[in-house]
């Protein structure tokens, strides 16, 4: 797929203009291409093939033909293949890190420390589950069997490109499904690398297929396709709704991981000197381009001035710059449309009367090119403001004050979303009690370590279904009851 050494990455223009279908690289039915822009320079660095409904038909046909054989393989065989995929991701981690930096502006340090190793963890978890998961249980003479759902259409976003691919592909093929992947057209390079990797790992032809293209063309064709049994999408609410509507006519399973406006509730006994800086960095991780980023910091009104000072000091110390520089913490926003969206929302915060603590509109000083955004903190934010209700998807933090714990919980739940949440308190019983009252699919207490086994997904308009761990694996399985099976 690339001209490469073990530590370098460059796009192979021939392979980039092809899709991976039925175990080989092949050209699109209708020749067309999409530009890939480096957000650090705003220059086109590659072109990839642009797919059509006809290409989706070819990929689905390959996946359907491969399903019978792959679904009948043993868990042990599937685990061995996943083990090889995991091994190759780690072997090629620098190659992936460089590709991620080029295609979506991830700082090289975060690509190496988070984007690639956490992606590898999803593969490891899927592999390890196969050694313990019981696909058949007997309950009172009835056999409960869990069987692969079939051909899965997987639609992944631009903000965590490799991570979201492995979070879907690994459990799907572990379950015995076959897949058609549509990565984001804005960050497709790591997906091309992954396709070559699964080929090199020995995955049989047709089990994994890749078609690049737009959501309006390839994504819509996948969602409506009668031979796709399930769609899993991570993306915006608008995209998730369109996919669900298109999928409804064929009554396929649809799982969605969509937007978020996650709260971070600092209870009165929290260690503010620790909790506030960590909260700022959690909100700004991946330049704020994470659906579960805790971008609403909910704090006691009596501590507001202290929180503002701590937040400003943390945000102002963040190094924003060239993603290839070793000391850069935040690179550019991943694409121009998202950069413009963030600028619009910062202006909305100012117009609505929020207090600008630090940052603000405009590019980072010294960068005339590249989608570099100033880490921004607002205070005196009211829950009715746009910046408190709408997903900004950038390094913008809203500080909202409360008088009572009940009010803090009400503010936390005052959103159409329910993906993630954080609670900080020295009294763990109090933190647990507050967590149980927050309507979100995953709640973090006192900034715990990331857990790849913890199910992840949303309440309300943040989606449905779960990813990661056992629950994410089971999304790719059907349940069959065989009554009268016997003990």
């Amino acid at each position: 797929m690339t001209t490469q050494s073990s530590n370098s990455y460059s796009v192979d223009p021939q392979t980039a203009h092809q899709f991976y279908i039925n175990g080989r690289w092949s050209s699109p039915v209708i020749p067309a291409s999409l530009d890939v822009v480096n957000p650090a320079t705003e220059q086109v660095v590659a072109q990839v093939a642009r797919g059509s409904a006809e290409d989706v038909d070819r990929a689905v046909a390959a996946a359907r033909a491969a399903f019978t054989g792959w679904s009948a393989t043993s868990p042990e065989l599937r685990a061995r293949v996943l083990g090889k995929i995991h091994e190759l991701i780690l072997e090629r981690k620098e190659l992936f890190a460089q590709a991620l930096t080029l295609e979506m502006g991830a700082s090289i340090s975060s690509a190496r420390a988070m984007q690639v190793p956490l992606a590898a963890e999803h593969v490891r978890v899927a592999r390890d589950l196969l050694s313990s998961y019981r696909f058949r249980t007997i309950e009172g003479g009835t056999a409960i069997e869990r069987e692969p759902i079939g051909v899965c259409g997987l639609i992944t976003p631009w903000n965590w490109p490799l991570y979201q691919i492995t979070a879907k592909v690994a459990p799907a093929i572990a379950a015995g499904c076959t897949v058609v992947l549509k990565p984001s057209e804005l960050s497709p390079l790591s997906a091309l690398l992954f396709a070559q990797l699964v080929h090199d790992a020995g995955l049989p032809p047709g089990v994994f297929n890749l078609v690049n293209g737009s959501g309006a063309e390839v994504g819509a064709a996948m969602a409506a396709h009668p031979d796709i049994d399930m769609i899993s999408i991570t993306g915006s609410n608008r995209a998730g709704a369109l996919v669900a509507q298109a999928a409804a006519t064929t009554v396929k399973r649809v799982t969605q991981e969509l937007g978020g406006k996650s709260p971070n509730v600092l209870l009165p006994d929290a260690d503010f000197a620790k909790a506030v800086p960590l909260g700022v960095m959690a909100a700004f991780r991946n330049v704020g381009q994470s659906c579960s980023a805790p971008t609403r910091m909910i704090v006691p009104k009596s501590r507001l001035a202290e929180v503002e000072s701590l937040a400003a000091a943390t945000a102002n110390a963040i190094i924003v710059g060239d993603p290839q520089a070793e000391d850069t913490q935040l690179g550019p926003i991943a694409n121009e449309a998202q950069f413009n969206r963030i600028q619009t929302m910062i202006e909305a915060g100012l117009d609505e009367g929020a207090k600008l603590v630090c940052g603000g509109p405009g590019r980072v000083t010294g960068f005339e090119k590249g989608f570099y955004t100033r880490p921004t903190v607002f205070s005196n934010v009211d829950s009715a403001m746009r910046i408190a209700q709408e997903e900004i998807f950038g390094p913008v933090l809203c500080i909202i004050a409360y008088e009572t714990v009940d009010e803090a919980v009400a503010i936390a739940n005052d959103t159409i979303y329910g993906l993630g949440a954080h609670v900080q308190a020295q009294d763990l019983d109090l933190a647990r009690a507050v967590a149980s009252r927050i309507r979100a699919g995953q709640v973090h207490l006192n900034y715990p370590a990331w857990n790849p086994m913890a199910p992840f997904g949303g309440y309300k308009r943040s989606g449905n279904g779960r990813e990661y761990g056992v629950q994410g694996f089971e999304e790719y399985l059907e349940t069959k009851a065989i009554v009268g099976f016997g003990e």
Side-chain angles (χ1 to χ4, degrees):
M1 138 72 211
T2 58
T3 302
Q4 65 185 69
S5 68
S6 60
N7 296 321
S8 64
Y9 170 81
S10 60
V11 180
D12 180 338
Q14 180 177 352
T15 307
H17 281 278
Q18 296 181 318
F19 305 132
Y20 186 77
I21 297 176
N22 204 27
R24 64 185 182 88
W25 295 96
S26 60
S27 298
V29 173
I30 304 169
S33 63
L34 291 161
D35 290 340
V36 180
V37 175
N38 180 349
T41 64
E42 302 182 45
Q43 299 299 308
V44 174
V45 292
Q47 289 186 321
V48 298
R50 177 174 182 163
S52 63
E54 290 84 354
D55 298 304
V56 172
D57 287 342
R58 294 165 54 214
V60 173
R64 177 59 62 193
F67 175 69
T68 300
W70 182 248
S71 63
T73 57
S74 68
E76 292 77 15
L77 185 150
R78 299 198 294 272
R80 285 196 297 273
V81 176
L82 284 163
K84 184 61 176 178
I85 292 172
H86 179 254
E87 175 187 321
L88 289 176
I89 291 175
L90 296 180
E91 282 185 9
R92 302 177 187 182
K93 60 185 178 182
E94 183 64 18
L95 191 66
F96 278 111
Q98 295 290 341
L100 290 162
T101 296
L102 182 67
E103 69 183 350
M104 53 82 62
S107 69
I108 192 64
S109 59
S110 66
R112 290 167 177 160
M114 292 191 298
Q115 295 259 4
V116 179
L118 299 189
E121 277 294 280
H122 289 309
V123 181
R124 181 195 62 79
V125 165
R127 178 199 67 191
D128 292 353
L129 277 173
L130 287 171
S131 66
S132 59
Y133 189 80
R134 298 175 64 192
F135 288 90
R136 174 189 289 167
T137 58
I138 309 295
E139 300 177 12
T142 295
I144 308 298
E145 294 195 346
R146 306 303 304 272
E147 300 178 345
I149 193 169
V151 176
C152 300
L154 311 178
I155 301 174
T156 55
W158 49 261
N159 58 320
W160 288 83
L162 180 64
Y163 176 95
Q164 287 293 342
I165 288 171
T166 59
K168 297 182 190 298
V169 171
I173 62 176
C177 297
T178 56
V179 305
V180 178
L181 170 69
K182 190 206 90 66
S184 170
E185 63 271 30
L186 299 174
S187 53
L189 303 180
S190 53
L192 293 169
L193 282 175
F194 184 77
Q196 184 62 54
L197 183 149
V198 298
H199 178 87
D200 296 343
L203 199 64
V207 174
F208 172 89
N209 305 274
L210 167 70
V211 179
N212 278 313
S214 70
E217 293 174 283
V218 174
M222 288 169 59
H225 205 289
D227 281 335
I228 287 182
D229 301 293
M230 172 186 174
I231 289 284
S232 176
I233 177 173
T234 297
S236 68
N237 280 72
R238 177 181 176 275
L242 289 172
V243 164
Q245 290 166 10
T249 57
T250 52
V251 200
K252 57 170 58 73
R253 183 180 299 176
V254 178
T255 64
Q256 304 159 308
E257 193 264 277
L258 307 176
K261 194 69 181 177
S262 299
N264 186 2
V265 180
L266 276 61
L267 293 171
D269 75 330
D271 181 348
F272 283 74
K274 176 181 178 182
V276 174
L278 287 175
V280 172
M281 297 310 294
F284 292 173
R285 182 181 66 161
N286 200 37
V287 205
Q289 298 169 135
S290 297
C291 298
S292 60
T295 54
R296 293 184 298 139
M297 185 175 286
I298 302 168
V299 306
K301 187 171 291 185
S302 62
R303 308 290 293 270
L304 187 58
E306 177 188 359
V307 171
E308 289 174 356
S309 178
L310 289 166
T314 304
N316 287 330
I318 293 172
I319 300 173
V320 181
D322 179 358
Q324 286 287 353
E326 296 286 343
D327 62 344
T328 291
Q329 294 171 281
L330 302 184
I333 298 301
N335 55 76
E336 183 177 17
Q338 188 55 34
F339 174 83
N340 292 335
R341 160 75 176 169
I342 294 165
Q343 298 303 312
T344 296
M345 292 303 296
I346 292 174
E347 293 287 358
L350 295 172
D351 292 344
E352 289 182 309
K355 176 184 177 181
L356 183 64
V357 175
C358 64
R363 296 176 186 266
V364 173
T365 302
F367 289 91
E368 299 303 319
K369 284 288 187 180
F371 305 125
Y372 294 96
T373 298
R374 301 167 70 191
T376 297
V377 177
F378 283 108
S379 187
N380 292 346
V381 175
D382 184 274
S383 279
M385 293 179 179
R386 286 184 66 192
I387 57 172
Q389 289 294 325
E390 297 182 28
E391 186 175 42
I392 299 172
F393 225 58
V396 181
L397 176 67
C398 299
I399 301 174
I400 307 173
Y402 67 86
E403 295 277 9
T404 67
V405 171
D406 285 345
E407 184 186 3
V409 172
I411 293 168
N413 288 330
D414 185 15
T415 171
I416 62 172
Y417 299 109
L419 187 58
H422 289 245
V423 180
Q424 318 305 327
Q426 296 188 66
D427 182 343
L428 189 57
D429 286 338
L430 178 59
R432 290 167 176 160
V434 169
S436 71
R437 297 170 64 190
I438 294 176
R439 299 280 294 169
Q442 192 175 91
V443 184
H444 291 208
L445 305 184
N446 297 321
Y447 306 114
W450 178 72
N451 179 3
M453 290 297 294
F456 181 71
Y459 286 27
K460 300 185 278 187
R461 295 191 195 178
S462 286
N464 58 73
R466 292 295 180 267
E467 294 188 305
Y468 314 167
V470 176
Q471 290 80 6
F473 174 70
E474 290 182 332
E475 294 287 351
Y476 297 93
L477 297 172
E478 288 280 23
T479 300
K480 175 187 287 182
I482 306 178
V483 183
F485 189 87
E487 297 297 338

